[in-house]
Amino acid sequence: MYSGLTEQLGISVKDKLLELALTHRSFSYEAGGIPTNERLEFLGDSVLGLVVTDELYKKFPDLDESRLSPLRSGVVNMRALAQIARDLKLGEYLRIGKGEEATNGRDKNSILADSLEALVGAIYLEHGYIRSSEVILKWIGSAIDSATAQGAGLDGKTALQELAASINMPSPEYEIVESGPDHDKSFVATVILNNERFPAGSGKSKREAEQAAARIAHEAISNRENKK
């Protein structure tokens, strides 16, 4: 039933687990409430995040958390995961409801990305972490290389600018408030993006404060995008 998919995956997974990983809640609703892939998705999201985090941690020993976080977001965001699912032709195997079928649900980024995470969860349950990580890195190795090539040298403001452009948002604006005497000034910066104000960042210079604010906004937007 899933021989074409397992051939694409390069690893065997029991049909029962694959069926569960590919069952969207819209199908479950129409089928009387059968189990969905959401628990596997929850598990796979954590496994995927750990594999990518571990790989970036080892690949860039000199980068701090503020630099590693946007790199990880560039690899495991919804659009990137959906593209991997398309490369695996995952949409052909999804069990979705009639409503989703009618609205091209098999090619929706959110459904594809969630299903890929559920598939990771299924592979992890059957084969454990080491084998799962090998499969995941095979899928996303080029994505890691691309994200790191673009992002390893990016500062917070540039990373935020590129993230905003990638999701069709306007360029971020920065509001600066300075305080203190001339010899000991401090600065607080706030990012305003698409009419939304993000938590402020602070620093001993305007640039430092803007960089801190940009990293805060970048993390907030990335987390939001990854939950879509």
Side-chain angles (χ1 to χ4, degrees), residues 208-225:
E208 185 179 332
E210 287 180 338
Q211 294 289 350
R215 288 192 289 269
I216 292 169
H218 188 288
E219 183 174 3
I221 295 170
S222 295
N223 289 340
R224 188 184 305 163
E225 287 295 305

Side-chain angles (χ1 to χ4, degrees), residues 2 6 19 33 36 42 48 51 67 87 103 128 133 140 158 189 197-199 207 218 221 223-224:
Y2 295 108
T6 54
E19 183 175 274
T36 75
F42 171 77
L48 187 63
V51 170
R67 304 284 290 281
D87 293 341
T103 57
S133 66
I140 65 177
T158 306
R197 298 174 67 89
F198 291 86
R207 183 182 185 282
H218 188 288
I221 295 170
N223 289 340
R224 188 184 305 163

Side-chain angles (χ1 to χ4, degrees), residues 59-98:
K59 196 178 185 74
F60 295 99
D62 297 326
L63 293 187
D64 62 19
E65 183 275 339
S66 67
R67 304 284 290 281
L68 290 171
S69 182
L71 289 181
R72 180 178 58 191
S73 298
V75 175
V76 297
N77 64 67
M78 179 179 63
R79 287 168 179 78
L81 297 183
Q83 186 54 54
I84 294 170
R86 290 188 183 95
D87 293 341
L88 294 170
K89 297 180 170 46
L90 203 59
E92 298 177 9
Y93 300 93
L94 295 178
R95 301 208 296 172
I96 58 176
K98 294 177 182 177

Side-chain angles (χ1 to χ4, degrees), residues 101-122:
E101 194 78 71
T103 57
N104 199 30
R106 293 183 185 278
D107 196 47
K108 285 184 179 177
N109 282 349
S110 58
I111 292 178
L112 286 172
D114 290 348
S115 299
L116 184 73
E117 290 177 339
L119 183 59
V120 168

